[in-house]
Amino acid sequence: MPQTETSSTAFALKGISSMATRQVLAELAAAWQAQGGEPVAIESVGGVDAARRVQAGEEAFDVVFLAADAMAQLEDSGRVVAGSRVALVLSSTAVAVPGGAVLPDISTEQALRAAVLAAPRIGYSTGPSGVALQKLFERWGIAEQIRPRIVQARPGVPVGSLIATGEVALGFQQLSELIHVEGIAIVGPLPQAVAIDTVFSGGVVAGSAHADAVRRLLAFMASPGADEAKRRQGMEPA
């Protein structure tokens, strides 16, 4: 694909994302570059931290990838160019236990609630799935009962790593973040009645000198040709 901005320059697009999309973005960025697109360097950190850094406006990012609600806030505050947001992937929250452990029944909402009540330690993230789980536990009326058993992973720390080391017995996180972790067993996605699905988007960071290149990158990442990579990383096209 012809690239007007790269014909006489040697820049790399600088991006930041949450950990949930780290693997899929790496694969899509490599595919983009293989077909002649601009080099892309994406730093993946905790979503809360990524949003804070973009909001601060002290670093020269070109593109940001975060959950749709966080992206909307950044656009509202003027840190993401209005109208530049592109929905890229839908990521589902899944449940996992340490490798070798008995897999709990999570086939229904009632079964999942019983599994949570039975778990000695429960782990979830600071990201969108963690926020949604807190609300779910409150709706179930068990939030206070299980509070002493909750382990919330620090930003940027995969819940899967806490499961693998046995720090938690039942962990919740985006499936895309669990499928590459050794030492755990994925039980499956949440039952449909309480499914927690997150749409992740990309957008042009205000002040980027390479906005046109970012828009081309996002169009590529949202194209049907990127669908296979998304499914390979445990996600679905948005």
Side-chain angles (χ1 to χ4, degrees):
M1 117 179 0
Q3 302 293 337
T4 57
E5 286 187 85
T6 56
S7 58
S8 60
T9 58
F11 64 86
L13 296 174
K14 183 180 179 182
I16 189 167
S17 78
S18 62
M19 295 297 291
T21 54
R22 179 172 59 92
Q23 297 284 353
V24 70
L25 290 177
E27 184 169 346
L28 291 177
W32 161 256
Q33 291 171 218
Q35 68 166 36
E38 292 83 355
V40 185
I42 302 171
E43 180 184 359
S44 295
V45 298
V48 173
D49 188 36
R52 178 189 59 77
R53 289 169 61 182
V54 175
Q55 186 64 54
E58 297 173 354
E59 299 173 76
F61 293 114
D62 297 297
V63 59
V64 57
F65 305 90
L66 287 172
D69 56 348
M71 291 293 290
Q73 292 174 15
L74 289 173
E75 184 174 341
D76 289 344
S77 67
R79 292 304 184 185
V80 164
V81 175
S84 71
R85 284 191 291 139
V86 177
L88 298 176
V89 294
L90 182 145
S91 180
S92 298
T93 299
V95 180
V97 296
V102 175
L103 303 186
D105 178 12
I106 62 166
S107 59
T108 66
E109 180 177 356
Q110 293 74 20
L112 177 63
R113 183 178 185 276
V116 170
L117 286 171
R121 301 281 275 181
I122 304 147
Y124 55 75
S125 74
T126 56
S129 62
V131 173
L133 280 165
Q134 292 176 53
K135 293 179 180 178
L136 178 61
F137 297 156
E138 289 170 1
R139 180 167 69 78
W140 282 347
I142 65 173
E144 289 304 316
Q145 181 180 348
I146 65 174
R147 191 178 305 279
R149 293 183 271 143
I150 292 292
V151 178
Q152 189 171 38
R154 298 184 305 279
V157 175
V159 174
S161 67
L162 304 181
I163 303 169
T165 60
E167 188 172 344
V168 301
L170 190 73
F172 297 81
Q173 196 161 35
Q174 308 287 340
L175 177 61
S176 60
E177 294 188 76
L178 293 172
I179 59 176
H180 298 289
V181 179
E182 296 183 359
I184 71 172
I186 297 174
V187 184
L190 302 184
Q192 189 58 44
V194 291
I196 299 173
D197 298 326
T198 304
V199 173
F200 288 90
S201 304
V204 180
V205 177
S208 168
H210 310 298
D212 288 345
V214 173
R215 288 188 174 92
R216 290 196 303 271
L217 169 67
L218 295 177
F220 169 79
M221 289 182 166
S223 70
D227 290 355
E228 183 179 346
K230 295 171 184 178
R231 293 192 173 100
R232 202 162 36 239
Q233 296 299 337
M235 297 182 165
E236 290 293 327

